[in-house]
Amino acid sequence: MTVGPARLAQCTPVSAREKISSGLVGAGLLVVDKGPGVTSHDVVASCRKLLRTRKVGHAGTLDPMATGVLVLGVERATKMLGLLSLTTKSYTATVRLGRSTTTDDAEGEVLSDASAGHISDSEIATAVAGLTGDIEQVPASVSAIKVDGQRAHKLSRAGEEFTLAARKVTVDRFDVTARRDVVEHESSFVDLDVEVDCTSGTYVRALARDLGTALGVGGHLTALRRTRVGPFTLEHARTLDELAEDPAVSLDIDQAARTAFPHRQIDAAEAESLSQGRWLDPVGIDGVYAAIDPTGHTIALLQERGKRAGSVGRCRGRGADPTAVRSREPSRSLRRHGARGRWSPCHRFVPVRWRRYRRSRVVPSP
């Protein structure tokens, strides 16, 4: 089973300067509460400096105007990010009915204004219901989707015309929590506070646009805050200022795997097989799940296909014990050839006459 927020709340941050329980120094997931006015790349760059590593990536971007949960992977945990981005996400947002913009949010240029004060709550509820469930959504023109090899937002800002194809997305929840009638410069608008649960790839600004279109007055997004990505919520997030005071990942790679995925207990022999790239027999678990060895370490993320449970992401290399040090004794083959050499930083014997042949693994004659 998947460990939920209650278990996640018990996990303590792990310092990037300490040797964490898994033996992989600094590897894990970091949950950041992104502030307004900064890009996701800015947050990644700041975390790279704070954690003193280049290996930091995110599991889904947030627009500069948006705030909230941004999940980052550090060191080897970056391998999990592509799988984490497939989970559902939750948002709170404010939609303004009566105005359309070029970017479908408050940062774009105004395209048109229309009076929205006459729209009833029942009409809004009907339009919202039409945007709930499995729908076809045209992404925003300033999205990161590529068109002929170029990002859509770059083409849009360059003034080029293009068309984005509609994509299937799922909106599990689209609730209106509050309504405010606003008058600005003799124009009547309606502001709606909404809560949205949706699959990855759904654009909330596109929901605001489509809601305004369905009501015939246009609409755009004025505020957006992401409150959840999978099991990670705002309760587990830290701001960049808080992170600067205590540079640490939120969960090490073992805690992250147990929290974000269902898990399966394996024995030492199965752990050794996985670490060497072999597959296991399936046990009937749907989707991606973590393989946990008897010591509590996550060896790999598995997915079952037919009669095999194969790895879709290894958390460790060869050897079930990540803290074990390889023997300094040269291999039997090297001793037989009388090879001389040196010890590399990873405790591997590198023969002098064998270095040029390392890639092809050819052993020269003595």
Side-chain angles (χ1 to χ4, degrees), residues 175-188:
D175 294 338
V176 178
T177 59
R179 168 180 175 157
R180 295 181 299 278
D181 291 281
V182 181
V183 177
E184 288 185 1
H185 306 294
E186 300 181 355
S187 296
S188 177

Side-chain angles (χ1 to χ4, degrees), residues 242-262:
E242 293 172 337
L243 184 63
E245 296 176 0
D246 181 21
V249 295
S250 304
L251 305 107
D252 69 28
I253 199 167
D254 297 317
Q255 294 171 332
R258 288 193 296 267
T259 301
F261 303 97

Side-chain angles (χ1 to χ4, degrees), residues 174 185 194 245-246 274 280 283 338 356:
F174 190 1
H185 306 294
V194 301
E245 296 176 0
D246 181 21
L274 283 177
L280 303 181
V283 293
R356 69 180 63 181

Side-chain angles (χ1 to χ4, degrees), residues 222-236:
T222 60
L224 179 65
R225 183 163 177 77
R226 186 155 66 190
T227 58
R228 181 176 64 88
V229 177
F232 308 107
T233 69
L234 287 171
E235 295 179 359
H236 316 115

Side-chain angles (χ1 to χ4, degrees), residues 113-290:
D113 283 345
S115 177
H118 65 281
I119 299 175
S120 66
D121 291 344
S122 60
E123 291 175 310
I124 293 174
T126 300
V128 165
L131 295 172
T132 305
D134 296 330
I135 63 174
E136 294 277 343
Q137 184 186 73
V138 177
S141 60
V142 290
S143 65
I145 296 175
K146 286 188 175 182
V147 179
D148 296 330
Q150 297 290 326
R151 298 289 184 184
H153 60 81
K154 291 185 178 180
L155 296 175
S156 177
R157 293 187 176 98
E160 298 188 24
E161 295 185 0
F162 58 92
T163 302
L164 293 176
R167 304 193 306 176
K168 291 184 179 180
V169 298
T170 301
V171 180
D172 297 310
R173 185 167 69 101
F174 190 1
D175 294 338
V176 178
T177 59
R179 168 180 175 157
R180 295 181 299 278
D181 291 281
V182 181
V183 177
E184 288 185 1
H185 306 294
E186 300 181 355
S187 296
S188 177
F189 304 114
V190 173
D191 284 354
L192 302 177
D193 293 336
V194 301
E195 295 180 354
V196 177
D197 293 343
C198 56
T199 56
S200 180
T202 304
Y203 289 87
V204 181
R205 68 172 70 195
L207 288 178
R209 177 202 64 204
D210 294 342
L211 178 61
T213 300
L215 294 170
V217 295
H220 71 281
L221 203 65
T222 60
L224 179 65
R225 183 163 177 77
R226 186 155 66 190
T227 58
R228 181 176 64 88
V229 177
F232 308 107
T233 69
L234 287 171
E235 295 179 359
H236 316 115
R238 290 180 290 163
T239 64
L240 288 179
D241 290 338
E242 293 172 337
L243 184 63
E245 296 176 0
D246 181 21
V249 295
S250 304
L251 305 107
D252 69 28
I253 199 167
D254 297 317
Q255 294 171 332
R258 288 193 296 267
T259 301
F261 303 97
H263 54 270
R264 163 187 177 180
Q265 293 294 330
I266 58 175
D267 57 32
E270 291 174 323
E272 182 65 20
S273 295
L274 283 177
S275 65
Q276 294 180 357
R278 295 193 288 270
W279 48 269
L280 303 181
D281 293 329
V283 293
I285 301 178
D286 294 331
V288 177
Y289 60 88

